[in-house]
Each structure stands twice: as structure tokens, then as C-alpha cells.
Amino acid sequence: MNHEPPGRGDARVPHVVIVGGGFGGLWTTRALASADVRITLIDRRNHHLFQPLLYQVATAGLSSPDIAAPLRHILRSQRNVEVRLGEVVGLDPAARRVALADGDSIGYDYLLLASGAAHAYFGHDDWAGDAPGLKTLDDALHIRRRLLLAFERAEASDDEAERAAWLSFAVVGGGPTGVELAGTLAEIARKTLRREFRRIDPAQAKVRLIEAGPRVLSSFPEELSEKARKQLQKLGVEVVTGTPVNAIDERGYTLGDTFVPARTVVWAAGVAASKLGALLDAPRDRAGRVQVLPDLSVPGHPEIFVAGDLASVQQDGKPVPGVAPAAKQMGAHVARAIRDRIAGRSTAPFRYKDYGNLATIGRMAAVVDVHGFKLSGLLAWWFWLAAHVFFLIGFRNRVIVLINWAWAYWSYQRHARIILGDREE
Amino acid sequence: MNHEPPGRGDARVPHVVIVGGGFGGLWTTRALASADVRITLIDRRNHHLFQPLLYQVATAGLSSPDIAAPLRHILRSQRNVEVRLGEVVGLDPAARRVALADGDSIGYDYLLLASGAAHAYFGHDDWAGDAPGLKTLDDALHIRRRLLLAFERAEASDDEAERAAWLSFAVVGGGPTGVELAGTLAEIARKTLRREFRRIDPAQAKVRLIEAGPRVLSSFPEELSEKARKQLQKLGVEVVTGTPVNAIDERGYTLGDTFVPARTVVWAAGVAASKLGALLDAPRDRAGRVQVLPDLSVPGHPEIFVAGDLASVQQDGKPVPGVAPAAKQMGAHVARAIRDRIAGRSTAPFRYKDYGNLATIGRMAAVVDVHGFKLSGLLAWWFWLAAHVFFLIGFRNRVIVLINWAWAYWSYQRHARIILGDREE
């Protein structure tokens, strides 16, 4: 499909091409619903994913459709947008066209790159096979499969050392994702699976959270980091800080100098910007994020914008974090900037409003930091629950997730403990 | 793990090995809960699957965990059973051992083979890649992916003929599975996706149900076959009977002598018994099912039983159908037979109680035949709904499925329209 780009000053409706249907891209799309523009939203996948709850799918607490909704469905009533399933592989800023993997090219008047971030292994991409990361639904299902299979393999094993290795789990990275994964994994081992095995005692599983820096949740105030550490330890997670992981293979990992046998390692330690950033001739930071101007456009290209995890924005000397609210706010700002461009107005610089930080630790514990107002424990957990359900897209999704959690809360059970993925075997 | 087989006349508790955690194997397991036996239940997958609703996962109406539950979870309170994730690849009746794919072997006093059925392509196994069948959750997700992608490809296409091929769907096989798939697919095209595309009109999709025999639902009374055909046509399905499919490849299929371009063909036309049947030196029918004695044991091997789709049982001159209620009843009968053997009693022959036949056609239509009491249309659909929800395992699953269906009924939406499976791409 080849769209002719409208010329400059043409009376035709401006064409806005948005790459990425995550929080950034979707928020720009919706904010332009009543603008006199034509929008093409391109994504490699057919759904918008509520990433903050991805760890729930990875730990079998929710199923994929609970936290995702088809982009076409979300945008069905917005007549000025067309959704295109496809992958952008090339960009020609002079001709104002993006090239897709299937051979098509699409012309634009305005372009937004909001393709997010992917896992980064600090130069050790060979670790990816043995230590999967958690960015997409397929990642989550892969991790889920490995977690559940580990207990099955332990049960079937006759060898003491082999069984111990299958019951050893490590989560690398002490940010919110790592904390959430480790806490939930410990709960699964100690509570959910408790009566279900005959040869092994799942509660004997060793769950270790490894953070190279001095504390977990480093983006939170120190006292909340400390509370989180305590809550994790109470759940049975061994928290190791100040030591990096130096090697990972299928038998285990090396912590500092020591090799630790562990058949399941999950990577939550680093993200790098989507490769699409490299398509622009624009300055990028060490993680590959595009260093945008204050209005979120690319230096030298006022018609190209970047939002979300792909953008590097400094505010008051600190980088704007790669979190969902930031992506949404950037998305809304880009929509304003595009409207301004069309109307010939100037655009105010982007200002990120930090509404606070939340991370859940386990069934009934979390830490919350909102404008210095700190919560931890059960109250924080209710706050976290309310916020996440509220921000889920789709009434039905909210009802289902609430029911699943009410059930899980009541029974410690996890709804989605199904091992899939053996079609090729 | 090697289990020593208890010797004949040994005071040790008899060891019952059950291969397959479907309706047959699971029902035998549960019926032996209070028997003085030790049970090992082996399955290639970790979950029990409610197969009658598999077509719902394939058409994105339900998600995998809604219709499946982990075997360990179902059996967690039954102390005399151990669940083993594994695949049986060999059998030594003389030594009374089964061999697993991972190298272990397990000894038994009594063995039940209940490994079910798989797709059969009547000698055309090469069709399997282009016309996936529907027997497992992975099958269902694969079909779901193909269905959803077909509309995406049509939307992206500029070529008239290519678009038409992407919007052409065929379901081969007019039994309940085929009827359910075809009816639901037509609903998706005409209702669910109606407003969500800009270049194509999903309602223009051609959905064809192809049955080689004279009528669909041939196991139902003629008048219900006719009602089903009418309801399908009302939904927009083109029903073709009396013509076989003679070839299938990735471009389409050949109906009689005519080639029809269609990028999505789903196979619901034939099943053959699990290959495990071949491990026994016992008579088998054309579909590979083991021809068992009236008490469901294998001729010459009173300690080996077969139940479910793997068993061929004649009753009053007709074969017992490969349906869930039959598998459950056989499973219960095998448990009785094992208890009888242990107690030195004889066993009554198995009698299948046919409670009737149901098939759903679409959102609000079905056909029901219970002891000659026939229903069709909306009333039948309510009956079908109640029966299926009632027989689902797990209270939470029932609640979730009911909510999903209430939502779908109200809104025509389908909950699980998520395309997964692109991790390798």
C-alpha cells in the first residue's frame, strides 16, 4: 500500500503516521480524534498492552487477553484513524516516508516514533536465551512456561543436585519489574503450589533477587527501598544487592565470582530503546533513546516527534523515567504540538508531572510514593490495585481482572497456570 | 525415576498408571480416590482441557486458562495420586513397564491408556500445515492467530484477488466442531469486526463449511441437521455437502475438481486414535482405536484398560461416540473394574448411557437432541450454555466463562482477540 504524501501547503488533510500502539502512540492518536488530520497507527502487534501487569501474566496470575486489547477495537469509533499491522524497518526523512517489512511504504506529513524499549543485556546478548526478559505478551508466556516447567522437572528428577538447580530461581534487576516478579514467584512457590507436588516441597525453592546497585527500587526514596527489601525477605526472597551478575548460561549464573546453579533466570535489569531510534540522524543517549527538543520533536526535523520510552527528556537535571504515565503525557503533548504546527502556533515545552511511583511486592504488600506521601504494606497494596485496575483499558478487562484478583486473594490460587507452547515438539 | 513394580500377590499397594489426563483418565483417577491403590497420572501437558469449548479459544471468545485447569491443582487433595508431566513412548506388557520420552520408566500393576485422539488427514498428512486441526490449546491459539491475521492481511492488501483470498475461509468437516467453528467465524466477520477496518468490509468474508457426507451433524437426527444448516446459512455460512476436499495447500483447496483460493482452511474432518494404541498387540479399527473387551480391558491383558477416544466399543451394533460423556463413563467403569480385579470380583460389561447430543451454531442458536427430545434455536442455546458451564471444572472458571459470555452476548465482542506467537520472528 503506497500512500502519496500530501505536499506542503496542500489543501488535503495532513497525514500523521504513528509508529507504536503503546501508551505514547495510543495517547497521541486519541488526542487527535477531533483534529482535522488523517492518522495511520502502525504496530508490529495487533494489541495495546498494559505493561505494568505483564509480570502477572508471566507468573500465571492473569491471562494475555486480560491485560491487552486489540488496537482496532480500542479505536473503532475514531473515524480519522487507520490501524496497520506492520513493522517499520526504514525511514526516509527527505521523502517523508516510512518503509515496512512487507515492502509497503507510507508517506507522512507528521511522524511520531513511539516504539518503546526492549530488553538490553549490557553487551551480553548471548544471555538472552537463558535469561528471558519481560516486555511483550510472548515474553510473559515464555517465562510462565519456564517457571511452571521448572517445578515439573524438579518433581520428576531423582538427582539431588539437579532437583536443587530446578528449584533455584533468580531475577536479575531490582527495579519494580524485578521486585514484582521475585515477590510473586516466592508466593507461587510457598503458597500456590504448596500441596500439589508429592516428591518435592515447592516451598523449598530458592528465589533470589539480584541488584547490582546498592538498593532495590532505586528510583524510590530510601526508606521505601528498605521496606520493600523487608517485605521481599518476609516472602522468602533472598535479596542480594551491590553485586553484579557476570555470566549467565543454561546451567546457572555467576554472581561476582561465584557460580550458582539455577535453571531459571529472568532478566529485569535493563532496557534499551527500540532500534527505530537509529533510523534518525539525531543525538541519542547511551541506552539509544533519542534526545529530543523540549517540544519532543527531533532536532532539525520539526515534523518528526518521539514519545515514550524511546525519548530521552531531561527535566530539572533528571531524566524523565520510562514509565507509563510519562509516555501518556508525552503522547498528549505531541498531539498538541501537531495541532500547533498545523495552526502555525508555537508549542510550549513538555513538562512531566510526576504523580508518584508504585511497586507491588506480593499478595498484600506494596510501596507507594506519591508526592512524598509514602505508603507501604497492605494500604499501599489497595492503592496500587485501584490505580492499576482504573488505568486498564476496557470495562470488561477491569471486571475480569478484579474477579481474578479477588479469587486469587481469597484462595492464593493463580488462574492462568497453563503450560503452552509445545506445538512444535 | 524408576518405580519397581510390586509383585503379584505382594502386600504392597497396587500401582495404577494412567496415561492421559483428559476426561477418561481424570475420571478414573478421581473414582479411585478412596481405593487402596497408588496412582501415577501421566500427561504430556500440565492441564486438563475442556475440549468442547476449544473452538471458543480458536475464535478468540475465551482464553486458554478459561477452559483448562492444571492437573496438579485439580488433584491436589487426592493423596493417592501423583501427577507426572511426561510423554509415554514405549510399553513392555511382559515387564509391566511404560517408558517415557525423558528416559524414565514406570512399572505398573494396572495400566489405563486414555490418551485420546489427534487429527487425521485421511492419508494426506501434508495438509496439516495448511489446514490446522483443533485438538489442543496450542492448536486453538494457532488457529486464532491465523484467523485474526487473515483480516489484517486483507486490510493491508492492494490486490483485489489477494484480498479476496485472505477473506475466504473454509472449515472442512460438518460435525459439531466444524459447525461451531464455521458459525462463530461468520459471526466474527459480520458482527464483531464490523466497524474495525477501513479498507475492507469484514462482512464480505466468505465462510464455507464443507462436508463430504450428505448432511452436517450426521450423528444427529435429520431434522436437526436441516435446522443447523438453515441457522448456519442465516449466519452467512455457505454449507456445501456431498463433496469431498481433494487437495489443500497454502493458496487454497480443491473442492471436487474446482480449485478455490482461500488462505485460511481449518480442519475439523477427522480424528484418529493416539499413536499409543499401536504399542499394544491388540486389534484396532480403521481409525486406530483399540477394540476392547466389554469390560474395557485389552484382549489377553486383563491388567491393561483403554478408555475414551482411544477405545473402540460397540453397543447395540453402533460404535460408542468419541464424546466427553462417553469418555467419563468409560473412565468410571475402568475404576470399577480395577477395584473388582483387586477384590477378585468379576466386572459387569460397560454400558454407555447416551444423554444426548448438542452443538451450538452461533451466538444464540444451537441444536439439542436428548433422548429424542429435540430443541433448536435460542432455547437450545440456553440449554447448551447451561450444560457446558455446569460441566466445566472449577468454580472460578465457571464464573469467568459466564461473564465472558454475558459480555459477548451483550456486545458481540470477543474477549480474546490477541495475536500471539511472534516471539521467533
Side-chain angles (χ1 to χ4, degrees):
Chain A
M1 171 170 30
N2 290 312
H3 302 244
E4 288 313 312
R8 246 302 119 93
D10 199 293
R12 254 183 297 178
V13 163
H15 185 204
V16 180
V17 171
I18 297 176
V19 182
F23 288 114
L26 189 56
W27 255 247
T28 302
T29 305
R30 283 158 65 150
L32 288 173
S34 54
D36 198 18
V37 297
R38 180 165 70 90
I39 305 165
T40 300
L41 174 61
I42 306 171
D43 197 301
R44 284 187 301 183
R45 297 186 179 84
N46 78 326
H47 52 269
H48 168 76
L49 175 64
F50 192 72
Q51 286 194 40
L53 288 181
L54 208 45
Y55 82 96
Q56 280 279 350
V57 175
T59 53
L62 292 173
S63 65
S64 306
D66 292 338
I67 67 166
L71 286 162
R72 296 191 176 285
H73 182 66
I74 296 170
L75 297 169
R76 67 195 179 287
S77 308
Q78 188 171 331
R79 301 309 303 178
N80 69 344
V81 64
E82 199 177 304
V83 176
R84 175 75 149 87
L85 187 75
E87 181 173 4
V88 171
V89 295
L91 166 63
D92 184 344
R96 297 202 189 177
R97 302 191 76 84
V98 288
L100 301 191
D102 60 21
D104 286 345
S105 84
I106 301 180
Y108 60 84
D109 290 299
Y110 299 97
L111 175 67
L112 167 60
L113 292 185
S115 42
H119 331 118
Y121 292 88
F122 306 128
H124 293 280
D125 283 350
D126 48 302
W127 293 354
D130 298 307
L134 185 59
K135 260 292 170 189
T136 67
L137 278 174
D138 284 297
D139 288 344
L141 294 178
H142 178 72
I143 289 173
R144 179 176 88 185
R145 178 180 163 78
R146 289 191 57 169
L147 292 180
L148 296 175
L149 278 178
F151 288 96
E152 295 286 345
R153 303 269 188 260
E155 174 84 342
S157 172
D158 276 332
D159 181 277
E160 196 69 46
E162 195 189 309
R163 190 180 304 152
W166 280 115
L167 288 176
S168 284
F169 300 85
V171 178
V172 183
T177 301
V179 165
E180 287 161 348
L181 273 171
T184 314
L185 185 44
E187 267 182 0
I188 289 175
R190 280 159 189 55
K191 299 271 197 278
T192 310
L193 302 180
R194 200 164 38 94
R195 293 195 298 163
E196 298 198 4
F197 291 84
R198 301 285 179 260
R199 294 165 174 272
I200 61 166
D201 176 9
Q204 298 306 312
K206 286 185 172 37
V207 180
R208 190 179 260 178
L209 176 64
I210 303 166
E211 165 59 40
R215 56 190 177 96
V216 298
L217 295 184
S218 55
S219 60
F220 284 65
E222 266 197 64
E223 55 172 292
L224 288 181
S225 289
E226 194 44 39
K227 285 207 150 72
R229 176 192 270 258
K230 289 205 171 77
Q231 278 165 354
L232 283 166
Q233 285 164 340
K234 209 166 132 191
L235 278 176
V237 177
E238 184 192 346
V239 181
V240 176
T241 48
T243 323
V245 164
N246 289 321
I248 303 176
D249 63 35
E250 78 279 1
R251 299 169 308 124
Y253 58 95
T254 303
L255 190 63
D257 290 329
T258 318
F259 174 74
V260 180
R263 300 298 291 252
T264 312
V265 178
V266 181
W267 186 262
V271 288
S274 142
K275 292 187 173 51
L276 285 190
L279 295 179
L280 298 163
D281 55 348
R284 292 185 290 148
D285 69 7
R286 268 191 338 155
R289 291 183 300 197
V290 180
Q291 286 164 327
V292 289
L293 296 177
D295 65 357
L296 302 182
S297 67
V298 172
H301 290 282
E303 74 286 356
I304 301 181
F305 297 86
V306 183
D309 289 359
L310 185 52
S312 169
V313 180
Q314 289 287 327
Q315 187 161 299
D316 308 330
K318 293 193 310 174
V320 171
V323 293
K328 291 183 189 179
Q329 290 178 31
M330 286 193 222
H333 185 90
V334 169
R336 268 196 301 276
I338 289 175
R339 286 172 182 262
D340 287 343
R341 299 276 199 274
I342 292 172
R345 293 187 297 259
S346 64
T347 303
F350 169 71
R351 283 293 302 177
Y352 171 53
K353 285 198 187 54
D354 187 343
Y355 288 112
N357 235 336
L358 347 160
T360 186
I361 317 275
R363 187 169 166 267
M364 289 202 297
V367 288
V368 171
D369 173 37
V370 176
H371 290 303
F373 169 67
K374 303 180 189 64
L375 277 180
S376 65
L378 186 54
L379 223 59
W381 186 78
W382 281 110
F383 186 97
W384 173 92
L385 180 74
H388 279 72
V389 175
F390 179 72
F391 286 111
L392 259 183
I393 285 184
F395 175 71
R396 197 216 63 87
N397 280 11
R398 291 192 191 116
V399 171
I400 293 292
V401 168
L402 272 174
I403 287 178
N404 275 326
W405 280 347
W407 189 256
Y409 175 87
W410 181 256
S411 66
Y412 269 115
Q413 284 318 307
R414 301 194 73 78
H415 152 56
R417 285 174 44 207
I418 305 299
I419 299 179
L420 297 168
D422 44 7
R423 200 165 185 278
E424 312 79 46
E425 293 167 28
Chain B
M1 172 170 28
N2 291 312
H3 302 245
E4 287 314 310
R8 253 284 121 99
D10 198 295
R12 251 183 296 176
V13 163
H15 185 203
V16 179
V17 171
I18 297 177
V19 182
F23 289 114
L26 189 54
W27 256 246
T28 303
T29 304
R30 283 160 64 151
L32 288 172
S34 53
D36 199 18
V37 298
R38 181 165 68 89
I39 305 166
T40 299
L41 173 62
I42 306 171
D43 198 301
R44 283 187 301 183
R45 296 183 180 86
N46 78 325
H47 51 270
H48 167 76
L49 175 64
F50 191 73
Q51 286 195 40
L53 288 181
L54 208 45
Y55 83 96
Q56 280 279 349
V57 175
T59 54
L62 293 173
S63 65
S64 305
D66 293 337
I67 66 166
L71 287 162
R72 294 190 177 287
H73 182 66
I74 296 170
L75 297 168
R76 66 195 179 287
S77 308
Q78 188 171 331
R79 301 309 303 175
N80 69 344
V81 63
E82 199 177 302
V83 176
R84 175 75 147 87
L85 187 76
E87 181 173 5
V88 171
V89 295
L91 167 62
D92 184 345
R96 298 200 187 177
R97 303 191 76 82
V98 288
L100 301 191
D102 58 22
D104 287 344
S105 83
I106 301 181
Y108 60 84
D109 290 299
Y110 299 96
L111 174 69
L112 166 61
L113 292 185
S115 43
H119 331 117
Y121 292 87
F122 306 128
H124 293 280
D125 283 350
D126 48 302
W127 293 355
D130 298 307
L134 185 60
K135 261 290 169 188
T136 66
L137 278 174
D138 284 295
D139 288 344
L141 293 178
H142 178 72
I143 289 173
R144 179 177 90 187
R145 179 179 162 79
R146 289 190 58 167
L147 292 180
L148 296 176
L149 278 178
F151 288 97
E152 295 286 344
R153 301 272 187 259
E155 173 86 342
S157 173
D158 275 334
D159 181 278
E160 198 67 47
E162 196 188 308
R163 191 180 304 155
W166 279 116
L167 287 176
S168 284
F169 300 84
V171 178
V172 184
T177 300
V179 164
E180 287 162 348
L181 272 169
T184 314
L185 185 43
E187 266 183 359
I188 288 175
R190 282 156 187 56
K191 300 269 196 285
T192 310
L193 301 181
R194 200 163 42 93
R195 295 197 297 163
E196 298 199 5
F197 291 84
R198 301 285 179 263
R199 295 165 173 270
I200 62 165
D201 176 9
Q204 298 305 313
K206 287 185 172 36
V207 180
R208 190 179 261 178
L209 176 63
I210 303 165
E211 165 58 39
R215 56 189 177 97
V216 298
L217 295 185
S218 56
S219 60
F220 284 65
E222 266 199 64
E223 56 172 292
L224 289 181
S225 290
E226 193 47 36
K227 287 209 149 73
R229 177 192 268 259
K230 288 205 171 75
Q231 278 165 354
L232 282 165
Q233 284 163 339
K234 208 165 133 195
L235 278 176
V237 177
E238 183 192 347
V239 181
V240 177
T241 49
T243 323
V245 164
N246 288 323
I248 304 177
D249 63 34
E250 77 279 1
R251 299 169 309 125
Y253 58 95
T254 302
L255 189 64
D257 290 327
T258 317
F259 174 73
V260 179
R263 299 299 292 253
T264 312
V265 179
V266 181
W267 186 263
V271 288
S274 144
K275 292 187 172 55
L276 285 190
L279 296 180
L280 297 162
D281 56 347
R284 291 185 289 146
D285 70 7
R286 270 193 334 154
R289 291 183 300 198
V290 180
Q291 287 163 327
V292 289
L293 297 176
D295 67 356
L296 302 182
S297 65
V298 172
H301 290 283
E303 73 286 354
I304 301 181
F305 297 86
V306 183
D309 289 359
L310 185 52
S312 170
V313 180
Q314 289 287 327
Q315 186 161 300
D316 307 331
K318 294 192 311 175
V320 172
V323 293
K328 291 182 189 180
Q329 292 179 28
M330 285 194 224
H333 185 90
V334 168
R336 269 193 301 275
I338 290 175
R339 286 173 183 261
D340 287 343
R341 300 275 199 272
I342 292 171
R345 294 186 297 259
S346 65
T347 303
F350 170 72
R351 284 292 303 175
Y352 171 54
K353 284 197 187 54
D354 188 342
Y355 288 112
N357 234 335
L358 347 160
T360 186
I361 317 276
R363 190 170 166 268
M364 287 203 297
V367 288
V368 171
D369 171 38
V370 177
H371 290 303
F373 169 65
K374 303 178 190 60
L375 276 181
S376 67
L378 185 55
L379 223 57
W381 185 78
W382 280 112
F383 186 96
W384 174 92
L385 180 74
H388 278 72
V389 174
F390 179 74
F391 285 112
L392 259 183
I393 285 185
F395 176 72
R396 197 217 62 88
N397 280 12
R398 292 193 191 114
V399 171
I400 293 293
V401 168
L402 273 173
I403 288 180
N404 276 325
W405 280 346
W407 189 257
Y409 175 88
W410 181 256
S411 66
Y412 269 115
Q413 283 317 307
R414 302 193 73 78
H415 151 55
R417 285 173 45 205
I418 306 299
I419 299 179
L420 296 170
D422 44 8
R423 197 164 187 279
E424 312 77 47
E425 296 165 27

